[in-house]
Amino acid sequence: MKEDKELYEFFSKSEKRFQPGLSIDSVIFGFSDNQLKVLLNKLKRMELWALAGGFVLKNEHLDDAATRILRERTGLSNIFLNQFYVFGEPNRSDKKFHIKRMQQVGWPVQKDYWLLQRFITIGYYALVNFSNVEAKRDYMSDVCDWYDIHDLPPMIIDHGNILNKALEVLRTQLKYQPIGYNLLPQKFTMPELQKLYETILDAKLDRRNFQRKMLGYGILKKLEKRREGGAHKAPYLYSFDLKKYHKALKEGLHGAW
Amino acid sequence: MKEDKELYEFFSKSEKRFQPGLSIDSVIFGFSDNQLKVLLNKLKRMELWALAGGFVLKNEHLDDAATRILRERTGLSNIFLNQFYVFGEPNRSDKKFHIKRMQQVGWPVQKDYWLLQRFITIGYYALVNFSNVEAKRDYMSDVCDWYDIHDLPPMIIDHGNILNKALEVLRTQLKYQPIGYNLLPQKFTMPELQKLYETILDAKLDRRNFQRKMLGYGILKKLEKRREGGAHKAPYLYSFDLKKYHKALKEGLHGAW
């Protein structure tokens, strides 16, 4: 099969091309319409899913490698990735998994082969609007698709753990960095913004407290027009004050000292 | 010389012992008496200083490696280290530096030798009270000592850059995590707490604004007794409410949603 040949070639060429013992895995969170999803690849011939992961070329900057890997594995580009943590448990790699794939394509298994050593992986994450992006699978995968974070399929090695850590970092980040631009429509209501936070935090928030906090950050502009067409009193529309939003991205939501 | 022999042995044994292409560098910030310092090792025979750095054993957890390296290079233990960033520019290593040291001790320089490959390094940092800790140099160093962050000596490769990034992370962290326990005396005044923040931020803060923010976090207990003995009106004494302090460490200073 074509993919067997491609995998065999990957095994032959990779040892020379890539930095030893080092991989990158990216957790791409997608928000749209009050749903939080994550982008996963289903591996061919296995009922196992994986983050968008790969290796670092010997002369490649880590951030460039993360961008390239994401593009190669999912077809996505122009996504800003944040490095968030290094995963380095000594036994985190699954050698049996690699050996199985080597045997499937007839690659001679040797104990000192590059891929059978210990790998540490650098975790990156991003949060995008998943209705704007269409992911494409690569030759190693059957499917590349968005999965609800409450209903995740079985994942290889520590990828579930990497995903959880990324989610934890994302939730912490909500407390000191603005979020929402590119995830919400240009004009939105306070309940819509609250829903974004509730979806990421997976928790119900107090309406008044949320509104007070949000307005206190000073990153919102209240618009003249209210949303029309509802049965109830029309809610106010807001948009982000982009200058203040970007200032808060840099200095933190609670302002400079 | 003894250290030549030790360095030669290091070159002979390390390739087998350590994970390829991977190092750890720790930035140990020390605060005491309104001074912010950093712990550096001066390398023998060179007018160059380095962070407490080293390599990861093939079966060692990254965090354990960071702790071990810090102990070996500086004599310090019981310091909680935070992983904060991975530095992976392709040309960050200084091969000439290693070659020079190899030549000094008569180790045969070979191009494919482990130490002459590309290394990425994982940055860790900690903030301690430097008056409580006494650092000891290892056999590779002349001196291990605290240096004022405004008056740093010349540093090897990208260690100045790693230090700056750690400082940036520390300063950001001030905005959402409590700090001060173990750095200040058990009872302290608001001006003393403010001085800690000003020293880390390297900036003068507004007294009222600082006090309002600090009291707003709800992590301080105002004590019955005031500080005695000054010429002016005695300032109030505070201590940390440790239960709330630890809650804020976990949930962030601005509380749970």
Side-chain angles (χ1 to χ4, degrees):
Chain A
M1 286 198 294
K2 183 165 171 266
E3 65 250 33
D4 281 5
K5 209 183 145 199
E6 281 174 320
L7 201 51
Y8 191 96
E9 270 185 22
F10 170 81
F11 290 135
S12 345
K13 288 180 181 167
S14 295
E15 186 153 22
K16 277 192 186 157
R17 293 177 69 210
F18 294 120
Q19 184 72 356
L22 184 64
S23 63
I24 284 179
D25 285 293
S26 290
V27 183
I28 313 300
F29 291 111
F31 174 83
S32 183
D33 204 17
N34 303 332
Q35 290 181 289
L36 186 63
K37 301 194 172 190
V38 66
L39 192 64
L40 300 176
N41 294 298
K42 186 195 161 293
L43 299 173
K44 275 188 177 161
R45 306 185 196 184
M46 296 187 186
E47 287 302 304
L48 279 174
W49 280 254
L51 299 168
F55 306 102
V56 181
L57 294 167
K58 285 196 172 171
N59 272 311
E60 192 175 32
H61 193 289
L62 296 178
D63 293 348
D64 295 338
T67 305
R68 173 185 56 75
I69 291 164
L70 184 66
R71 192 181 59 240
E72 287 175 2
R73 305 259 6 230
T74 70
L76 302 182
S77 49
N78 294 320
I79 287 180
F80 182 75
L81 292 161
N82 297 289
Q83 193 200 92
F84 74 96
Y85 203 72
V86 187
F87 298 84
E89 288 76 20
N91 300 314
R92 58 173 294 281
S93 306
D94 183 353
K95 289 180 193 175
K96 281 184 197 160
F97 166 82
H98 294 304
I99 290 173
K100 196 174 165 187
R101 295 217 301 175
M102 288 173 186
Q103 287 168 339
Q104 282 174 344
V105 301
W107 173 261
V109 176
Q110 283 174 308
K111 208 184 142 203
D112 64 348
Y113 177 62
W114 164 78
L115 198 56
L116 299 179
Q117 308 312 305
R118 172 183 176 187
F119 273 76
I120 67 153
T121 199
I122 306 177
Y124 281 76
Y125 81 101
L127 177 58
V128 300
N129 185 325
F130 69 74
S131 65
N132 291 345
V133 289
E134 198 179 336
K136 292 180 194 116
R137 66 180 179 82
D138 68 354
Y139 72 92
M140 289 199 277
S141 314
D142 286 317
V143 188
C144 175
D145 208 354
W146 297 99
Y147 292 81
D148 193 292
I149 61 155
H150 295 103
D151 191 17
L152 292 169
M155 293 170 78
I156 60 163
I157 50 169
D158 58 354
H159 284 206
N161 182 28
I162 296 173
L163 198 164
N164 285 335
K165 178 78 182 175
L167 194 54
E168 194 185 289
V169 170
L170 175 64
R171 285 170 177 166
T172 301
Q173 205 191 313
L174 284 192
K175 291 188 181 171
Y176 61 94
Q177 275 199 355
I179 205 168
Y181 184 64
N182 282 335
L183 296 176
L184 293 173
Q186 210 209 324
K187 296 172 188 182
F188 50 87
T189 64
M190 193 61 79
E192 284 167 351
L193 184 61
Q194 183 170 337
K195 264 287 171 198
L196 167 64
Y197 278 73
E198 289 183 334
T199 306
I200 294 172
L201 294 167
D202 198 20
K204 191 97 190 83
L205 303 179
D206 177 72
R207 187 181 62 80
R208 283 196 199 183
N209 193 31
F210 180 81
Q211 174 156 330
R212 186 181 49 75
K213 274 200 178 192
M214 275 300 142
L215 295 177
Y217 294 152
I219 56 171
L220 294 176
K221 281 193 296 197
K222 198 177 198 173
L223 303 177
E224 291 290 316
K225 272 197 147 183
R226 297 185 183 213
R227 167 128 337 143
E228 287 163 15
H232 301 282
K233 190 186 164 201
Y236 285 107
L237 282 169
Y238 295 86
S239 69
F240 289 113
D241 181 326
L242 282 188
K243 208 176 151 190
K244 290 180 183 166
Y245 186 97
H246 287 292
K247 193 163 180 270
L249 266 185
K250 218 179 139 201
E251 295 180 355
L253 278 174
H254 305 279
W257 291 91
Chain B
M1 286 198 294
K2 185 166 171 263
E3 64 251 32
D4 281 6
K5 209 183 144 196
E6 281 174 322
L7 200 51
Y8 191 96
E9 270 186 20
F10 169 81
F11 290 135
S12 341
K13 288 180 182 167
S14 296
E15 185 152 22
K16 277 192 186 157
R17 293 177 69 209
F18 293 120
Q19 185 71 356
L22 183 64
S23 62
I24 285 180
D25 286 293
S26 291
V27 184
I28 313 300
F29 292 112
F31 175 83
S32 182
D33 203 16
N34 303 330
Q35 290 180 286
L36 186 63
K37 300 194 174 192
V38 66
L39 192 63
L40 300 176
N41 295 297
K42 184 194 162 294
L43 299 173
K44 273 185 179 163
R45 305 185 198 185
M46 295 188 187
E47 287 302 305
L48 280 174
W49 280 253
L51 298 168
F55 306 102
V56 181
L57 294 167
K58 285 195 170 167
N59 272 311
E60 191 175 33
H61 192 290
L62 297 177
D63 293 347
D64 295 338
T67 304
R68 174 185 55 75
I69 290 163
L70 184 65
R71 192 180 60 240
E72 287 176 0
R73 305 262 2 233
T74 69
L76 302 181
S77 50
N78 295 319
I79 287 179
F80 182 75
L81 292 161
N82 297 288
Q83 193 200 95
F84 74 95
Y85 203 73
V86 187
F87 299 84
E89 287 76 20
N91 299 315
R92 57 173 294 282
S93 307
D94 182 355
K95 289 179 193 173
K96 281 184 198 161
F97 167 81
H98 294 303
I99 290 173
K100 195 173 164 188
R101 295 216 304 173
M102 288 173 185
Q103 287 168 339
Q104 281 174 345
V105 302
W107 173 261
V109 176
Q110 283 175 310
K111 208 184 143 201
D112 62 348
Y113 177 61
W114 163 78
L115 198 56
L116 299 179
Q117 309 311 305
R118 171 181 177 189
F119 273 75
I120 68 152
T121 198
I122 306 177
Y124 281 76
Y125 81 101
L127 178 57
V128 300
N129 185 325
F130 69 74
S131 64
N132 291 344
V133 289
E134 198 179 335
K136 292 181 195 111
R137 65 179 180 83
D138 69 353
Y139 73 92
M140 288 198 278
S141 314
D142 286 317
V143 187
C144 176
D145 208 353
W146 296 98
Y147 292 82
D148 193 292
I149 62 156
H150 296 102
D151 191 17
L152 292 169
M155 294 171 77
I156 60 164
I157 50 171
D158 57 355
H159 284 205
N161 182 29
I162 296 173
L163 198 164
N164 285 335
K165 178 78 180 176
L167 195 54
E168 194 185 289
V169 170
L170 175 64
R171 285 171 177 165
T172 302
Q173 204 190 314
L174 285 192
K175 291 188 181 170
Y176 62 93
Q177 274 199 359
I179 205 169
Y181 184 64
N182 283 335
L183 296 177
L184 293 173
Q186 211 209 323
K187 297 172 187 182
F188 49 86
T189 63
M190 193 59 81
E192 284 167 351
L193 184 61
Q194 184 171 335
K195 263 289 170 193
L196 167 64
Y197 279 72
E198 289 183 334
T199 305
I200 294 171
L201 294 167
D202 199 18
K204 191 95 192 82
L205 303 178
D206 177 72
R207 188 181 62 83
R208 283 196 199 183
N209 192 31
F210 180 81
Q211 173 155 332
R212 187 181 49 74
K213 274 201 177 190
M214 274 300 141
L215 295 177
Y217 294 153
I219 57 170
L220 294 177
K221 280 194 295 198
K222 198 177 198 172
L223 303 177
E224 291 291 316
K225 272 197 146 181
R226 296 186 183 211
R227 165 122 347 137
E228 288 163 14
H232 302 282
K233 193 186 161 199
Y236 284 107
L237 283 169
Y238 294 86
S239 68
F240 289 114
D241 181 329
L242 283 187
K243 207 177 152 189
K244 290 181 182 164
Y245 187 98
H246 287 294
K247 192 162 181 267
L249 266 185
K250 217 179 139 199
E251 294 180 355
L253 278 173
H254 304 280
W257 292 91

